[in-house]
């Protein structure tokens, strides 16, 4: 861990703790307000899978069918394992110093399993071209309203005209210059910067010839697993000047890693550290969350409206949030809803339950990390729901969203999952998926988690178990990301 080495580091000067993320895209104005601080449309009005283009997996081309590795027979032909690896996108969140998700790295290569050797230029270019084609086909513009898309490209890919099919606004190209072609790479990066793309120096190490790259780079990305804390501190000291590129820490998977990089004045952090339990911190089951948990159980038991109304009246802030939410312009009511009972009748049990699950993440003391966790949970919940809606019976589909969002309940409350679930009355299939990763919902949840952790081998395995092809998985992921972005937290 980096954290335990911090006491040996003496800093010459301190940096500014204020978040300072370079982004070519500005935050759009919220369309409406809600109880969570922004607009959350009634979830019952969300587009269903039935409204979208359906895909008959029995007639998909053989090279687009997700199957397990090694190669297996599919539709009478052998499926190419390498092609499968190049088809399903993984993502890694990037957070700033204020714990806001500012973007995602989108990739097709595994970030979890180490490779025996670096791929040669031809293989790497094939990987890059496959990623860019996927992003173009999926219309990555939809993700870039106020987020950055970090896209890794090899030196050989820099010259490809295919690269320019990506939108320039909001795209950060991760570049590791070829030491044998520094001048050519530099000229091309200048051209791309002039077109509006941002440049990030990837896997940065202090090497000769990179000085001019630093003058045009917006970010410098450093793999924190390649350095001990003393080495990392020395490297970070070089970028304390405000005119320097912003430091992006890669592979930040623990709180110790984050705390160490934060103290070294890194600007951004890539990894899933914020979705992990924090053993050194106390549980976060405060009175506000207990009240929400009680209401969730009352709704699940379909208590009378009068009893639910009484539960809300005991908490003035909850009542205020409910009325603020139901009266949000996006919900389209001509006259304001002024009573709790009326609001509860309009919402209904299903919609009220979903709203309370979201409220659980924003209850209690304001916590930027909880907001980032909620955004991640929203993407996971919506993606799990989209993945399973065409595969499960109508009576089973309702649990998909709940499984997705409650899969991070242990992290939110900072207690083991079994303890977190004790406070909720959940159906057995939901409990099986959350507590034991078993049952009808488990494969769809596992696939959602694999995509956000960019575990390519697990993505392929779980997609096969779900009976889903690459197009379905990628489309669900993009739709989930876009949907979560439309909810202003």
């Amino acid at each position: 861990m980096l954290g335990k080495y911090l006491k040996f580091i003496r800093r010459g000067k301190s940096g500014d703790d204020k978040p300072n993320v370079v982004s070519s895209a500005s935050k759009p104005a919220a369309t409406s307000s809600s109880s969570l601080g922004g607009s959350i449309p009634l979830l019952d009005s969300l587009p269903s899978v039935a409204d979208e283009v359906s895909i008959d997996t029995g007639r998909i081309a053989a090279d687009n069918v997700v199957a397990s590795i090694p190669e297996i027979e599919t539709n009478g032909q052998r499926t190419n394992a390498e092609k499968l690896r190049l088809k399903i996108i993984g993502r890694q969140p990037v957070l700033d110093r204020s714990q806001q998700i500012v973007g995602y790295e989108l990739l097709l290569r595994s970030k979890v399993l180490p490779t025996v050797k670096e791929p040669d230029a031809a293989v790497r270019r094939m990987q890059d071209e496959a990623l860019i084609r996927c992003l173009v086909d999926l219309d990555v513009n939809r993700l870039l309203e106020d987020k950055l898309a970090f896209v890794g490209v090899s030196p050989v890919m820099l010259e490809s005209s295919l690269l320019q099919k990506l939108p320039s606004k909001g795209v950060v190209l991760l570049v590791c210059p070829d030491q044998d072609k520094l001048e050519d790479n530099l000229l091309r990066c200048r051209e791309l910067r002039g077109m509006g793309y941002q440049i990030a120096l990837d896997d940065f190490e202090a090497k000769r010839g990179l000085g001019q790259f630093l003058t045009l780079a917006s970010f410098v990305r450093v793999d924190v697993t390649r350095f001990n804390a003393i080495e990392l501190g020395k490297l970070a000291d070089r970028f304390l000047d405000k005119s320097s590129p912003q430091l992006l820490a890669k592979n930040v998977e623990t709180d110790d890693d984050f705390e160490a990089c934060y103290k070294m004045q890194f600007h951004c952090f890539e990894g899933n550290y914020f979705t992990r339990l924090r053993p050194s911190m106390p549980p976060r089951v405060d009175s506000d969350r207990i009240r929400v948990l009680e209401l969730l159980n009352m709704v699940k038991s379909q208590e009378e409206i009068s009893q639910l109304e009484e539960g809300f009246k005991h908490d003035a802030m909850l009542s205020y949030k409910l009325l603020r939410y139901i009266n949000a312009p996006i919900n389209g009511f001509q006259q304001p809803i002024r009573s709790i009972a009326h609001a509860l009748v309009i919402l209904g049990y299903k919609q009220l339950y979903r709203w309370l699950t979201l409220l659980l993440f924003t209850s209690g003391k304001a916590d930027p990390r909880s907001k980032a966790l909620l955004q991640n949970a929203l993407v996971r919940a919506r993606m799990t729901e989209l993945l399973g809606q065409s595969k499960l019976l109508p009576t089973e589909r309702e649990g998909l969203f709940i499984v997705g969002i409650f899969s991070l309940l242990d992290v939110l409350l900072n207690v083991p999952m079994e303890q977190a679930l004790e406070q909720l009355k959940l159906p057995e299939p939901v409990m099986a998926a959350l507590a034991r990763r078993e049952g009808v919902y488990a494969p769809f949840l596992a696939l959602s988690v694999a995509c956000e952790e960019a575990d390519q081998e697990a993505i392929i395995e779980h997609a096969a178990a779900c009976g889903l092809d690459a197009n379905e998985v990628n489309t669900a992921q993009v739709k989930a990301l876009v949907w979560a972005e439309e909810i202003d937290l």
Side-chain angles (χ1 to χ4, degrees), residues 253-299:
E253 297 299 326
T254 69
D255 267 350
D256 284 347
D257 292 342
F258 169 73
E259 292 295 338
C261 293
Y262 189 93
K263 290 179 180 178
M264 294 176 194
Q265 305 304 321
F266 275 78
H267 302 87
C268 301
F269 314 88
E270 179 179 348
N272 291 290
Y273 67 93
F274 67 101
T275 66
R276 315 294 190 207
L277 282 170
R278 308 172 76 181
S280 62
M281 303 293 287
R284 304 181 69 246
V285 189
D286 54 38
S287 58
D288 291 327
R289 288 197 169 101
I290 289 174
R291 169 61 64 184
V292 175
L293 288 168
E294 290 172 348
L295 285 169
L296 280 166
N297 286 330
M298 291 176 69
V299 173

Side-chain angles (χ1 to χ4, degrees), residues 175-191:
V175 179
C176 188
D178 186 339
Q179 288 291 312
D180 296 328
K181 298 181 179 180
L182 286 179
E183 190 63 32
D184 292 342
N185 290 173
L186 180 62
L187 290 173
R188 181 56 174 161
C189 285
R190 282 176 177 162
E191 290 178 1

Side-chain angles (χ1 to χ4, degrees), residues 93 95 99 101 255 271-276 369 372-373 376 411:
L95 289 80
Q99 301 292 278
I101 296 177
D255 267 350
N272 291 290
Y273 67 93
F274 67 101
T275 66
R276 315 294 190 207
R369 184 163 175 154
L373 191 65
N376 198 80
V411 180

Side-chain angles (χ1 to χ4, degrees), residues 75-99:
N75 289 356
Q77 299 180 25
R78 296 184 69 80
T79 302
N80 185 285
E82 185 59 32
K83 285 185 179 180
L84 292 176
R85 288 189 174 90
L86 297 177
K87 285 190 174 292
I88 304 182
I89 295 172
R91 69 184 187 278
Q92 283 271 284
V94 177
L95 289 80
D96 64 9
R97 290 179 65 83
S98 63
Q99 301 292 278

Side-chain angles (χ1 to χ4, degrees), residues 29 37 88 118 135 157-158 183 224 231-232 258 276 324 338 347 364 438 448 451 469:
I88 304 182
E118 288 294 318
L135 295 178
M157 189 64 196
L158 283 173
E183 190 63 32
V224 299
E231 295 168 338
L232 196 61
F258 169 73
R276 315 294 190 207
R324 185 181 176 190
R338 302 194 182 280
L347 280 175
E438 297 173 353
S448 296
C451 285
D469 69 44

